[in-house]
Each structure stands twice: as C-alpha cells, then as structure tokens.
Amino acid sequence: MEIKTDFLVIGSGIAGLSFAIKAAELGTVAIVTNKEKIESNTNYAQGGIAAVVDKTDKFEYHINDTLTCGAGLCREDVVKSVVTDAPERVEELAKWGMEFTKAKSGNSTNYDLGQEGGHSRRRILHAGDITGREIERALIEKAGSKKNIKIYENFFAIDLLLKSKIQGSEKGERDQCLGAYVFDVKNNEIHTFRARFTLLATGGAGKVYLITTNPDISTGDGIAMAYRAGAKIANMEFIQFHPTCLYHPEAKSFLISEAVRGEGGVLKLKNGSTFMEKYHEMKDLAPRDVVAKAIDTELKKSGDEYVLLDITHRDKDSLIKRFPNIYDKCLEFGIDMSKDSIPVVPAAHYICGGIVVNSFGETNIDRLFACGEVSCTGLHGANRLASNSLLEGLVFAHRSFVKISELFPEIEDKPVSVPSWDPKGATESDESIVVSQNWDEIRRFMWSYVGIVRSNKRLDRAKRRMDIINGEIDEYYRNFIVSGDLLELRNIATVAKLIIRCARLRKESRGLHYNIDYPERDDKNWLKDTVISKHS
Ligand code: FAD
Ligand code: SIN
C-alpha cells in the first residue's frame, strides 16, 4: 500500500510528537512508531528538563555548565541558543498540558527545581520522578486533538526512500528523501510512505550494549537508516554511561535518577566507605563521565559487582514524595531506600553522536530532518549535561518546524512513481538462531571492548568481530523475509560498526571516550568531531 502525507515523522518521543503537533498546522502528518505510541526513551525520563527559570540562575551559568561538561567539543553558538530558547519551550510544553511539579516555596519560580550532576544551580523542571511519562501523556493527548495527525503504531521504518535510487542522480547533486518503506509488524506487510518532508526522531541506541537504561526500542534505527542513505554521522564514540542503574538479577533496565544524588544520595563501596571525593571536587555530583569511570575503577579494584547508593539519612515520607516511582520499584525488589542502600552499576544511557544536522535540524539530504537523540547538533560535544536532552528534542523540533514552514510552500508534491518494496525472492527463515546469537554477541563484546574504558587492542578485536557479523547479517537480510527482530539486529550491527569506527579514529581521551593507549586530551589535534559517512 502507498500512503501519502505532507510530513512523515518516524518516532513518537518528545522530538517526534512535539514536531508533529506544530507541523499539523501546515499539513497532514503521519507518525510511524515501532511499538505502542507511548514507548520511547522519553517515557522513562526521570530527572527532568534543564532550563533557566529561577531569578538566581542565569543563562550564562547553564551555558558554562554545558560547555564544561562537553569537554571542548560543544558548538558554542548552539549551546547559547538552546539555553536561551529553553524557558519559552518549557512554557509551551506546560501550555500543552504538561504538569511540572510546582514549588511550595524557596525559589522565585512557580516550579520545583531539581539538582543533577554537572549543574552549578538547581534548574531541573520535573514531574516527580516520572517526568517522561507525564511528557508523553501530555504530548499524545495534544497530538490526539489534531485532526491532521494520524499515528501508526507497530509500524517499523526500514529504510528511507531516496530520489537517487528511484530516478537516478547527476554527479554532485544532493540527494532527496521522498519518505520511507515501513513494515507493519502486526500484519506482516511493507508499506510505502510518500512524504514531502521526513523527520527522523527515533531516539538512541542503548541496546547496542549489554547493560543499558534504555527501553527495547533503542536500537539506533534512525542513525542506521540515515547512514545507509548517505547522511553524515558524527561523534559516535561518545556513549554516555549513567552511573546508577539498579543492580538486581531480575530488574531490567531500571534507572536510579541522578536527582537522588541531587537530594543528598551518596555513593559507597560495599564496605561502607565513600570514594567520589578521590575523583572530583563535586564528589557525587561530578559530571557523569567522571562518576561512571570512578565506579568502574572501584569495581575493578574490589572485584565487587556493584556499588551502593545511600540516601537512608532522608526520611521515608520525603523520599516517597520526591521519588514515588523509584521508591516503589526498589521495594518490588526488597529494597526500602529509606532503610537500605541501593545496589547500582553504570549502564549505557545516551548517545551524544548521531546524524549531523544544522541549527534547524536539516541533514545533508534534502527534505530529511533529524531531531532529538538520533541527531548530533553540537549541543552535547563529548559529554551531555544531565537533563539537556529532552530540552534538545523540544528546541530542535521547534526549529525544524520553523525551517520547514519556510520551505513548505516552495515544495511541490510532484507525482513520482515509487516502486513497492521488492523482497527479491526472500524466503521464510528457518535459522532464526543466527539473529539471537548475533544479537547477544554484539551486545556482549560492545560492553567488554567498547565500554567505559577502551584500548586499541580491544577496539581492534571489536572491529574484527563486527566485520564478520555484519557480513553474516547482510547475507541473512538478502535471503530471508524481514521480521522486527532481523531489522533491529541489522540496525544495532550498523550502529556498533559506526561506534567502533569513530572510537578508532579518535586518538586521544576526551569526555565519554577514554582510551588507555591515549590517556590524555589532545586539543592540538583532536578539537574536532569524528565525521563519517558510507562514502568516506
Ligand atoms: P525517544 O523518546 O527515544 O523516541 C523514539 C521513538 O522512535 C520511539 O517512539 C520509538 O518507538 C520510535 N522508533 C525507533 N525506531 C523506530 C523505527 N525503526 N520505526 C518507527 N519508530 C521507531 N533526558 C533528559 O533530558 N532528562 C532526563 O531526566 C532523562 N532521563 C532519562 C531516563 C532514562 C531511563 C532514559 C533511558 C533516558 C533519559 N534521558 C533523559 C534521555 C532522554 O529521555 C532521551 O534522550 C530523549 O527522550 C530522546 O527523545 P527522542 O524523542 O529523541 O527519542
Ligand atoms: C536521570 O534522571 O538521572 C537522568 C537524567 C538524564 O539522563 O538527563
């Protein structure tokens, strides 16, 4: 089936939904999302959204904190503009129905403001510890009120439709995106979505790693699709490991928010001693790369499987009030955080790199925009400051809308005959073991060889394995009918390859990339992004 729309939005997190709500003023919007519409990284966000709204805070402070955290690689113009746009964007979100926790007293704003690592001030707007769930609720309700928006759940975008593939292209001509092939998972059919503009808002890629805070949708699909289409990709080596993911054999990906440390939580070894004072003057509230690396070092030294996060000095009622979700979740696993320390480990959390975009979310392919975690805007540099990513999604969704509003009247919807998906003789697979085996293997060696601490040898080993696995997956993909699992495997394999490629290029240590063979930061040679594409 061919579906025609003015805007194809791939992903229903904060970036996709907030763009769609605006784009619906201009034309028809199809949102495709590969699980239920609420399922996204956004939905699990706990800490909140950083914005300067208190009188004692200043844009300058938020800008400096972001730049310090980014370790020399942030684009200063982008940081300044995102920080100064933040108050307007969060107010808009509140107008759309998002209910931030309100302040009782103690600051000059209406909002209760949380504290997180790397921030020199309290500036995190939140909804208890379920900020993301509240954002998704508000945005889905708002999008649902727009008659121009149709949401396709369980629709898995496979690949972008490119003008060059359909009509050929002149040498040196920029390619153009005409929509995407999308797999209807429930009905096992592949549809062609034709659009004047396509926005990739598919989120991150935590599932490339064995231990992650991310939900299952985080297989880096947008980055992989854009790479296959010839888009520029940058800074994939900068994987942020969140220091405190709940450690429990039965707990799948549950984050213990940095806001717990913001409210006085202290990291300790199993023997009860504190250690962060050895690593940074901000101790437990040091930037994440420092805290995650410190925990990794301490675990390697002690041989323990986890460290402890202790907030037992706070009374039960205040913990339940501030962290109702975390309190309940811990209790499910027999941990009462008002009495017991919480066992935690670092886990892959966020990818700072992604599809290269300009200040309006435009990629190097015409009519293809990218927003949110899938993109690389220059805001985060070598390390993202806590709670700056929901903000980035909001700000860039708005800017993409502004740019598209200018371009929209000029873009005619010329009838182009787009071929339907061609399975090229693919048959039903009788070897799905290949998918599960490779899936497991990639995630394990990415964790061991391309994790918090890297070395040339480990990266070379990872590359050799990845080359073999990518060969196997390509062959499998050509021969067998697509399935959700196969599509996800193909994407994590592509993203793993890109992370390894960027990590091998960067011959220094900076921010989230630490290589023991080049332990120092090298501003003389490496004050630059690692930009790659399938053509380079
Ligand atoms: P997402 O919210 O991840 O949405 C991506 C969407 O794309 C999903 O709907 C998904 O189903 C869809 N999708 C993916 N692939 C396909 C495909 N092939 N076809 C169709 N649809 C597809 N950041 C903060 O700033 N503050 C926080 O407090 C915070 N807390 C966090 C807590 C956790 C546990 C996690 C995991 C992340 C947290 N982050 C936080 C990071 C932040 O949540 C994400 O960076 C942000 O939500 C990304 O938004 P997004 O719209 O780009 O993508
Ligand atoms: C957290 O609540 O610790 C996550 C915040 C973030 O990732 O920005």
Side-chain angles (χ1 to χ4, degrees):
M1 186 167 61
E2 179 167 302
I3 295 154
K4 278 182 85 176
T5 181
D6 291 319
F7 305 103
L8 172 63
V9 175
I10 306 180
S12 56
I14 193 168
L17 288 170
S18 56
F19 171 81
I21 288 165
K22 293 179 179 226
E25 303 301 323
L26 296 175
T28 54
V29 184
I31 304 177
V32 298
T33 189
N34 59 348
K35 296 259 176 352
E36 285 171 24
K37 55 191 170 216
I38 195 169
E39 196 52 13
S40 55
N41 283 289
T42 303
N43 190 45
Y44 297 92
Q46 295 183 355
I49 307 182
V52 174
V53 293
D54 186 57
K55 279 201 192 105
T56 62
D57 198 1
K58 288 191 174 155
F59 288 144
E60 199 185 316
Y61 302 154
H62 189 183
I63 291 167
N64 282 341
D65 293 344
T66 305
L67 293 175
T68 306
C69 199
L73 282 195
C74 298
R75 271 185 52 192
E76 211 166 322
D77 58 326
V78 172
V79 175
K80 281 186 180 153
S81 66
V82 170
V83 166
T84 48
D85 282 2
E88 200 179 328
R89 295 279 72 81
V90 293
E91 278 309 329
E92 182 173 57
L93 192 57
K95 265 195 217 120
W96 286 348
M98 160 85 195
E99 293 201 16
F100 289 109
T101 300
K102 295 280 166 44
K104 278 195 287 331
S105 60
N107 70 31
S108 63
T109 154
N110 201 9
Y111 300 114
D112 184 52
L113 299 175
Q115 170 80 60
E116 289 184 25
H119 287 274
S120 57
R121 292 286 185 288
R122 283 192 169 262
R123 66 166 72 96
I124 319 293
L125 287 83
H126 62 97
D129 60 353
I130 51 160
T131 308
R133 209 184 300 164
E134 174 56 16
I135 293 174
E136 284 290 303
R137 182 205 57 75
L139 291 180
I140 286 171
E141 257 175 52
K142 183 77 184 170
S145 71
K146 303 268 171 188
K147 66 175 183 1
N148 262 351
I149 298 181
K150 183 162 167 79
I151 304 187
Y152 297 80
E153 292 183 293
N154 301 300
F155 270 53
F156 193 122
I158 306 176
D159 267 319
L160 297 167
L161 287 170
L162 295 173
K163 184 167 170 248
S164 61
K165 292 264 169 68
I166 294 160
Q167 299 180 328
S169 61
E170 303 287 317
K171 202 164 176 249
E173 191 190 10
R174 270 167 75 98
D175 211 340
Q176 205 176 85
C177 179
L178 304 175
Y181 287 119
V182 181
F183 177 48
D184 171 353
V185 180
K186 292 233 156 122
N187 296 305
N188 236 333
E189 283 173 56
I190 294 172
H191 303 295
T192 308
F193 277 76
R194 284 269 290 106
R196 293 196 206 196
F197 290 94
T198 301
L199 178 90
L200 282 169
T202 51
K207 294 302 276 190
V208 171
Y209 286 88
L210 187 62
I211 305 175
T212 177
T213 62
N214 291 187
D216 291 348
I217 55 99
S218 308
T219 44
D221 298 357
I223 299 176
M225 272 188 272
Y227 172 76
R228 289 193 287 270
K232 286 187 188 156
I233 310 290
N235 290 355
M236 297 289 286
E237 67 276 34
F238 298 122
I239 303 294
Q240 184 169 73
F241 291 83
H242 195 292
T244 57
C245 183
L246 177 62
Y247 177 86
H248 189 281
E250 281 150 40
K252 189 184 172 201
S253 315
F254 188 75
L255 181 76
I256 307 294
S257 175
E258 200 154 284
V260 173
R261 276 174 284 134
E263 298 304 329
V266 176
L267 288 163
K268 293 183 174 170
L269 299 177
K270 264 172 148 180
N271 65 14
S273 56
T274 59
F275 57 90
M276 274 314 299
E277 63 279 3
K278 285 191 286 180
Y279 294 92
H280 200 277
E281 65 201 14
M282 291 174 89
K283 299 184 193 164
D284 297 275
L285 284 175
R288 263 179 214 173
D289 56 330
V290 178
V291 184
K293 194 134 58 68
I295 297 177
D296 188 67
T297 307
E298 292 295 331
L299 291 180
K300 281 186 177 135
K301 248 198 276 177
S302 65
D304 290 342
E305 284 159 319
Y306 55 84
V307 294
L308 296 166
L309 179 58
D310 184 1
I311 190 158
T312 53
H313 58 280
R314 291 284 300 263
D315 69 276
K316 185 169 172 168
D317 289 348
S318 71
L319 288 176
I320 293 177
K321 194 147 197 232
R322 177 65 180 87
F323 302 113
N325 183 37
I326 297 175
Y327 187 88
D328 282 353
K329 189 55 124 186
C330 286
L331 211 54
E332 262 179 49
F333 296 104
I335 304 157
D336 176 346
M337 65 193 273
S338 67
K339 295 197 195 112
D340 311 314
S341 298
I342 310 168
V344 289
V345 283
H349 182 62
Y350 184 86
I351 184 157
C352 292
I355 306 164
V356 176
V357 294
N358 66 12
S359 312
F360 291 98
E362 289 177 291
T363 69
N364 60 310
I365 298 175
D366 285 346
R367 305 194 201 176
L368 178 68
F369 286 67
C371 269
E373 192 168 339
V374 75
S375 64
C376 182
T377 62
L379 175 66
H380 310 307
N383 186 17
R384 173 182 68 100
L385 182 67
S387 289
N388 263 357
S389 49
L390 292 170
L391 174 62
E392 182 189 46
L394 271 183
V395 169
F396 273 83
H398 175 74
R399 292 188 185 168
S400 299
F401 165 73
V402 169
K403 175 50 84 181
I404 285 176
S405 310
E406 281 169 23
L407 299 174
F408 189 66
E410 314 283 311
I411 303 286
E412 289 169 54
D413 192 17
K414 285 195 200 135
V416 180
S417 145
V418 174
S420 306
W421 177 260
D422 179 6
K424 297 195 181 94
T427 58
E428 212 62 72
S429 160
D430 57 0
E431 286 236 47
S432 32
I433 184 74
V434 175
V435 175
S436 53
Q437 170 63 31
N438 281 334
W439 174 263
D440 197 50
E441 200 176 330
I442 294 171
R443 298 183 68 214
R444 277 180 195 282
F445 72 66
M446 287 302 286
W447 182 256
S448 306
Y449 299 154
V450 200
I452 298 174
V453 176
R454 300 159 181 180
S455 72
N456 286 348
K457 250 194 196 153
R458 290 179 196 171
L459 292 176
D460 289 348
R461 272 190 210 128
K463 181 187 179 309
R464 281 198 297 275
R465 278 166 173 74
M466 214 49 248
D467 287 346
I468 297 172
I469 292 179
N470 266 313
E472 263 179 43
I473 293 172
D474 282 349
E475 189 192 2
Y476 195 88
Y477 185 77
R478 275 196 305 274
N479 293 336
F480 297 113
I481 288 170
V482 296
S483 66
D485 289 348
L486 175 57
L487 293 172
E488 284 179 351
L489 173 67
R490 179 179 177 235
N491 290 333
I492 67 159
T494 303
V495 172
K497 176 175 83 177
L498 302 180
I499 295 171
I500 296 167
R501 202 171 144 195
C502 287
R504 289 175 86 238
L505 280 174
R506 184 169 293 282
K507 303 209 181 314
E508 63 155 356
S509 289
R510 176 189 300 273
L512 299 163
H513 175 70
Y514 182 67
N515 182 335
I516 53 177
D517 291 309
Y518 312 103
E520 303 301 328
R521 175 167 153 171
D522 174 3
D523 277 354
K524 193 158 157 251
N525 297 301
W526 281 103
L527 207 50
K528 60 186 178 193
D529 296 336
T530 43
V531 183
I532 56 178
S533 80
K534 74 169 184 184
H535 306 296
S536 65

